[in-house]
Amino acid sequence: MHIIIPAETLPVLAECDLCVIGGSCTGVFAAIRAARLGAKVILLEKQNRLGGVATLGLVGMWHSLYDTTGSQQIIAGLTLETLQQLARTGACTDFSAEGGQRGIRLNPEELTLELDAMVAREKNLTLHLHTTFSRAIMQGEGDCQAIVAENKSGRFAIKAKIFLDASGDGVLCKSAQLPMRRPVHPQPPSSCARFSNWSFPPAFDLRECIERYRDRLPDLPCGYYWGMQQPNSTLYMLAGTRVLNCDCDNAEEISKAELTARRQIRALLQMLRQELPEQKIYLETLPAAIGIREGLHIESIGTLQGQDLLSGRPCPEAIANGTYPVDIHNDQDDSITFKRLDGSTSTTRNGTRIASGRWLPEGQSLPCYQIPLSCLIPRGARNILCAGRMLDADREAFGAVRVMVNLNQCGEAAGAAAMQALDSSQPVTSIDVQAVRKLLRAGGAIII
Ligand SMILES: Cc1cc2nc3c(=O)[nH]c(=O)nc-3n(C[C@H](O)[C@H](O)[C@H](O)COP(=O)(O)OP(=O)(O)OC[C@H]3O[C@@H](n4cnc5c(N)ncnc54)[C@H](O)[C@@H]3O)c2cc1C
């Protein structure tokens, strides 16, 4: 059954140089970089706050800004600027070479406030929260004339010279009918949760307890979990759920996934109440949305392949550097596979290592890897760029680049790339990468 919607006339809310869809740090850093370079920027976010998975999803954990030797800083720019601001109030942990190796923990609420302040300082940047992108209006192949968005005031259009899809889900690229693909086994989504009084008696083993209760509470999550105490908070964040076999691009499946993940959290809470009543462990926060690790990917002018990412060869077109290992959460069971820059590999299932080895000869390691701009430029696009988890990478490369310090840099680079395309009046597929690298370096990014 179908229904026909009569053609409608929409007001054009604004015209700008760059319209960014999605307000995680990826989108925010793109918007800020472009605004600082002089572009008039509009940033749309469908939720009530900026930060994406880092804030809405409660995942306040960034990774090292240094190479694996700890001797060279490889990430700076807006990522460093944000951390420096957070550090003033103790809202993030030590991000020096030594401290950062253990992961940089952030307070999600204070990150929200910091992003508000950063955006407010940019006079060329207008933010619309509670505003959802709904469709692209195309004027030719890969050439977007305007986008339609909606919020409480109604439906409207925004015209821009360049559009950046930083929605994670690739909503703009999909609507613009740019080529996209769904991985056969996308990494599974998870909902985090925060608890108070998260402490256990000395002999207590959470994993053992979950297995002991599994028959009684079949909704208990599978065996993979990690967690952390968040700075400036008494709360403990647990990333302990996993929804298997989920297509996060399918509305029905993602709706069911929210419920499944919350049932897992509920079962965990029930178990802890029964097993450790004296501990008084309370559930304090659920995420605003389930955390999506992987959905659709764009098809770009240069797919990032794991073998290139981990080749150790310098990448003359790099716009970002990283050290996070290839980290693949299985969507069929609770296993997780790592391929680390120290040359080791391992697969763990339910807390037990089931395989380990080396992919580099003994004694060899990689200091870092690099991400080229090409994986952010959709094939066939004229004025559409992308940044974030829908970038074009194979399973292995995606496993590594998908973390926030990497995507933050990609966002910042997309902002500079948009500016370069504007200045040169060239389609995005002809962007001068060396000019983008120069803009990024001048803006404080580390470009190797
Ligand atoms: C449980 C979990 C744990 C993780 N752990 C870590 C970790 O410890 N460290 C790490 O660095 N990474 C971690 N990751 C990975 C990382 O968080 C994500 O890959 C990354 O945040 C993705 O960033 P993004 O900008 O692409 O998307 P998102 O963070 O998902 O941001 C997309 C933004 O776009 C908005 N948006 C979407 N559609 C629209 C629309 N139609 N209109 C307007 N706005 C829209 C969303 O509301 C959101 O704010 C984890 C991921 C998960 C799920």
Side-chain angles (χ1 to χ4, degrees):
M1 196 161 73
H2 290 93
I3 189 162
I4 293 170
I5 302 175
E8 58 182 328
T9 305
L10 293 178
V12 175
L13 181 78
E15 291 190 46
C16 60
D17 296 316
L18 173 66
C19 176
V20 179
I21 293 144
S24 72
C25 286
T26 313
V28 172
F29 291 180
I32 292 179
R33 178 55 56 221
R36 287 188 188 171
L37 288 167
K40 186 181 169 202
V41 184
I42 292 179
L43 172 59
L44 308 183
E45 168 53 50
K46 72 176 175 183
Q47 302 272 16
N48 74 333
R49 71 189 66 184
L50 300 169
V53 170
T55 57
L56 297 155
L58 309 173
V59 181
M61 168 68 87
W62 286 0
H63 295 99
S64 177
L65 309 185
Y66 288 79
D67 72 2
T68 54
T69 68
S71 61
Q72 195 187 348
Q73 190 176 344
I74 54 165
I75 301 173
L78 289 164
T79 301
L80 178 64
E81 196 175 310
T82 307
L83 289 171
Q84 284 168 336
Q85 289 300 323
L86 291 174
R88 290 154 74 115
T89 58
C92 67
T93 55
D94 179 12
F95 49 86
S96 67
E98 208 180 302
Q101 295 299 336
R102 292 186 294 274
I104 306 160
R105 288 177 283 130
L106 320 171
N107 179 302
E109 269 62 45
E110 294 202 45
L111 176 61
T112 302
L113 302 181
E114 191 51 51
L115 294 174
D116 287 352
M118 286 171 79
V119 164
R121 280 196 289 271
E122 301 300 330
K123 53 181 192 319
N124 286 341
L125 170 50
T126 307
L127 169 66
H128 298 274
L129 294 173
H130 288 288
T131 301
T132 304
F133 163 89
S134 72
R135 56 169 292 206
I137 300 176
M138 306 301 287
Q139 57 193 356
E141 209 172 307
D143 191 357
C144 186
Q145 181 195 13
I147 56 120
V148 177
E150 8 203 327
N151 58 23
K152 283 195 176 171
S153 301
R155 268 158 78 78
F156 52 84
I158 293 175
K159 293 177 101 174
K161 294 181 184 133
I162 309 266
F163 295 87
L164 171 65
D165 189 339
S167 67
D169 295 336
V171 290
L172 166 62
C173 292
K174 198 172 157 186
S175 176
Q177 298 193 327
L178 291 167
M180 299 187 88
R181 66 166 194 285
R182 179 185 183 274
V184 181
H185 288 294
Q187 296 212 25
S190 300
S191 283
C192 300
R194 286 192 302 192
F195 300 85
S196 54
N197 303 324
W198 185 269
S199 73
F200 303 137
F204 181 78
D205 179 341
L206 182 61
R207 189 162 279 118
E208 178 279 325
C209 189
I210 290 176
E211 293 316 317
R212 192 155 36 82
Y213 273 75
R214 195 172 291 290
D215 287 345
R216 267 174 283 172
L217 295 170
D219 285 328
L220 276 169
C222 65
Y224 173 77
Y225 61 84
W226 66 276
M228 62 178 172
Q229 203 71 48
Q230 294 189 323
N232 286 355
S233 167
T234 54
L235 301 184
Y236 184 88
M237 187 284 278
L238 185 77
T241 66
R242 182 179 286 192
V243 181
L244 304 178
N245 283 310
C246 179
D247 177 356
C248 293
D249 190 47
N250 178 299
E252 203 179 322
E253 288 194 29
I254 199 71
S255 174
K256 281 189 186 150
E258 290 278 7
L259 301 177
T260 304
R262 287 204 285 268
R263 275 201 307 274
Q264 293 179 12
I265 294 168
R266 188 172 199 217
L268 191 72
L269 195 62
Q270 284 173 322
M271 180 195 83
L272 292 170
R273 280 202 181 115
Q274 286 175 35
E275 184 71 10
L276 301 172
E278 302 301 317
Q279 299 299 123
K280 301 200 180 322
I281 296 173
Y282 299 129
L283 173 64
E284 300 285 350
T285 327
L286 289 169
I290 192 170
I292 297 179
R293 283 195 180 77
E294 189 170 18
L296 297 177
H297 290 281
I298 61 156
E299 289 188 4
S300 72
I301 59 169
T303 308
L304 185 56
Q305 309 276 355
Q307 61 189 28
D308 293 332
L309 188 78
L310 301 177
S311 69
R313 286 191 300 272
C315 172
E317 307 207 320
I319 45 76
N321 313 303
T323 57
Y324 190 70
V326 176
D327 165 3
I328 300 175
H329 295 242
N330 195 331
D331 73 334
Q332 304 294 305
D333 62 26
D334 65 1
S335 64
I336 182 164
T337 298
F338 284 105
K339 186 170 178 181
R340 301 179 190 82
L341 272 63
D342 67 4
S344 68
T345 58
S346 67
T347 298
T348 303
R349 181 173 295 146
N350 199 7
T352 304
R353 193 164 279 207
I354 55 167
S356 60
R358 288 193 63 79
W359 63 278
L360 281 175
E362 202 61 52
Q364 270 189 34
S365 62
L366 276 189
C368 70
Y369 51 72
Q370 298 190 287
I371 306 171
L373 183 67
S374 52
C375 64
L376 308 180
I377 303 176
R379 193 150 39 79
R382 228 201 85 75
N383 64 347
I384 300 174
L385 287 165
C386 101
R389 63 179 154 77
M390 80 290 234
L391 54 66
D392 190 9
D394 70 9
R395 183 170 167 81
E396 181 168 88
F398 180 71
V401 302
R402 66 187 182 85
V403 294
M404 292 182 265
V405 286
N406 292 341
L407 301 182
N408 292 350
Q409 296 173 82
C410 290
E412 197 169 338
M419 200 60 202
Q420 206 285 319
L422 281 170
D423 282 348
S424 62
S425 305
Q426 291 291 318
V428 291
T429 44
S430 305
I431 283 173
D432 176 348
V433 182
Q434 296 312 321
V436 174
R437 281 163 52 92
K438 215 165 143 190
L439 289 176
L440 287 168
R441 202 178 278 123
I446 296 177
I447 298 296
I448 301 170

